[in-house]
Amino acid sequence: MRLYSTALGIAKEESPGELSILDLPFADLGALLHGPGIDAARTAATVRRVALGEVRVHAPVPRPGKILIVGLNYPSHAEEALEMFAAMGRPDITLPTEPNFQLVAGSAVTAPGEDIHLPAVAADHVDYEGEVAVVIGRSASAVSAAAAVSHIAGLTIANDVSARDIQQRAMSGDPTASIGVAKSFDTFKPLGPCLVTPDEFTAALDLRLRTLVNGDVRQNDRTSSFIHGVADLISYLSRYQTLEPGDVILTGTPRGAGIFSGRHLRPDDVVEVEVEHIGTLRNRVRAAPEGASSGT
């Protein structure tokens, strides 16, 4: 089942390019998950049908309670990180054996097609990271990996935009900097375009992910190379806090982030994250509008 949060309400894509607006009293999928849950969309009546291109699409969950960012979960990305540390004279740094994660503000989410704003206080080293995102469907606290899949509402696409200068300061021990802040600026978490329910995927998740900037392929890998699979991530993260309906987990990014080549995002760049069987998340980069909030 392919579901959208739209300006007309919750919609189901039953045939390619055509949305059925559902008779549900919820503004978006996040509200639905906090209510009766994702299965209510399976049996809801159709109010009207519209072409996908004729309706404004919102992020599937416009305001998650929390976003958990998993780092270094593709071997290719872990390798380039170690290469960078070695070049910095830190060959002693090793990779964590357990999932590495950060908590990010839900207010950073923005919709497909909306602009990514370069914040005035950290505009020069903003980076992209294409990722598969997991949306939690029902509460999970200290769940086993075997039970984890039953807590998933579906998968979507995310771009884990980061202010790398702030992130690197934090990683260097600067007490005035925070990795969470570096990733929590307004518009830094594009999400969408749709939510695809778990029954559409095999247990051994194997999806091609590509990130393009202005049509140039920067990242290209498969989720089958995950170091920690989705079920293991949910189980691990649920030990530290209850995962609640509408929470979002970003599962990591592959080799090719801009920090490693010095290709940071600039105004008018177009970033596209493609994931097999889910779709394409597309956003343009803009300088922060005058008077906009600088971040969280």
Side-chain angles (χ1 to χ4, degrees), residues 16-284:
E18 183 180 70
L19 296 184
S20 298
I21 307 300
L22 302 179
D23 185 17
L24 290 168
F26 303 98
D28 55 63
L29 291 168
L32 178 69
L33 293 173
H34 278 282
I38 206 74
D39 284 340
R42 296 186 186 278
T43 55
T46 296
V47 174
R48 58 184 289 198
R49 289 184 171 85
V50 297
L52 177 57
E54 295 177 357
V55 62
R56 183 177 178 182
V57 173
H58 300 310
V61 183
R63 184 57 66 89
K66 55 185 173 289
I67 305 172
L68 296 120
I69 309 293
V70 177
L72 303 174
N73 199 34
Y74 285 83
S76 62
H77 181 51
E79 289 164 3
E80 68 180 349
L82 289 177
E83 291 165 4
M84 183 184 72
F85 288 131
M88 294 168 58
R90 294 296 309 276
D92 55 306
I93 294 179
T94 58
L95 297 177
T97 57
E98 295 186 332
N100 173 272
F101 71 95
Q102 299 291 331
L103 195 63
V104 172
S107 58
V109 167
T110 196
E114 296 295 322
D115 293 340
I116 297 166
H117 293 148
L118 302 176
V121 298
D124 295 331
H125 297 88
V126 175
D127 200 358
Y128 56 85
E129 290 187 355
E131 310 207 11
V132 172
V134 177
V135 178
I136 297 298
R138 58 190 190 91
S139 295
S141 177
V143 299
S144 68
V149 69
S150 68
H151 294 266
I152 300 173
L155 304 182
T156 188
I157 305 172
N159 185 355
D160 179 21
V161 181
S162 307
R164 295 296 196 187
D165 47 356
I166 295 177
Q167 182 178 354
Q168 288 187 305
R169 281 168 45 207
M171 293 173 67
S172 298
D174 184 343
T176 68
S178 161
I179 295 175
V181 167
K183 294 175 173 288
S184 290
F185 284 95
D186 295 347
T187 75
F188 268 28
K189 291 296 167 286
L191 200 66
C194 61
L195 182 75
V196 184
T197 53
D199 55 291
E200 299 278 342
F201 304 100
T202 60
L205 193 66
D206 183 24
L207 304 174
R208 172 70 63 187
L209 181 151
R210 300 200 312 164
T211 304
L212 299 85
V213 180
N214 303 325
D216 176 39
V217 178
R218 301 284 182 85
Q219 297 181 291
N220 187 355
D221 211 328
R222 302 196 71 88
T223 58
S224 53
S225 70
F226 279 166
I227 295 172
H228 306 288
V230 169
D232 289 331
L233 289 176
I234 292 172
S235 176
Y236 182 85
L237 294 171
S238 72
R239 301 179 203 168
Y240 291 87
Q241 60 271 295
T242 298
L243 302 176
E244 299 177 329
D247 285 352
V248 177
I249 301 170
L250 273 58
T251 58
T253 200
R255 173 182 286 269
I259 186 174
F260 301 103
S261 61
R263 296 182 291 182
H264 296 102
L265 296 176
R266 297 290 179 254
D268 294 325
D269 282 349
V270 175
V271 186
E272 296 171 290
V273 184
E274 305 173 346
V275 178
E276 278 182 327
H277 199 62
I278 301 178
T280 300
L281 174 64
R282 183 181 188 274
N283 300 87
R284 186 176 294 274

